[in-house]
Amino acid sequence: MSKTKLTINRNGSIKIEGDFEITDCEGKTYGLEGRTALGLCRCGLSANKPFCDGSHRNGFEHESAAFDLPPMKTK
């Protein structure tokens, strides 16, 4: 299986590339028609959620910069 890559775009979507499937909360799979890359909405403005339709333009600002999460807590 190839590695899946997610890129948090500045002021925009989450780009997902690679070998992936996307399911809804009930486990039903979205028909992606062979796509190996697409954008996921993170602004909440898309009419095509969970997919990005570009509605974020001029209405969503977020500077994406990578950082390290703290270590996971053990139970």
Side-chain angles (χ1 to χ4, degrees):
M1 181 189 307
S2 66
K3 188 173 182 178
T4 301
K5 178 181 177 182
L6 282 85
T7 303
I8 311 302
N9 290 318
R10 180 177 292 119
N11 300 328
S13 65
I14 297 172
K15 183 178 181 181
I16 182 170
E17 304 171 88
D19 183 22
F20 59 88
E21 74 175 13
I22 300 174
T23 61
D24 66 13
C25 62
E26 296 177 0
K28 296 181 200 168
T29 303
Y30 286 89
L32 302 178
E33 304 301 322
R35 288 175 176 81
T36 58
L38 54 79
L40 297 174
C41 176
R42 70 181 180 113
C43 72
L45 300 173
S46 177
N48 196 31
K49 288 188 229 31
F51 306 104
C52 178
D53 67 1
S55 294
H56 61 272
R57 284 180 179 57
N58 301 319
F60 177 74
E61 293 184 22
H62 179 261
E63 288 295 319
S64 58
F67 60 91
D68 294 332
L69 293 174
M72 290 179 58
K73 295 180 182 178
T74 57
K75 292 183 181 184

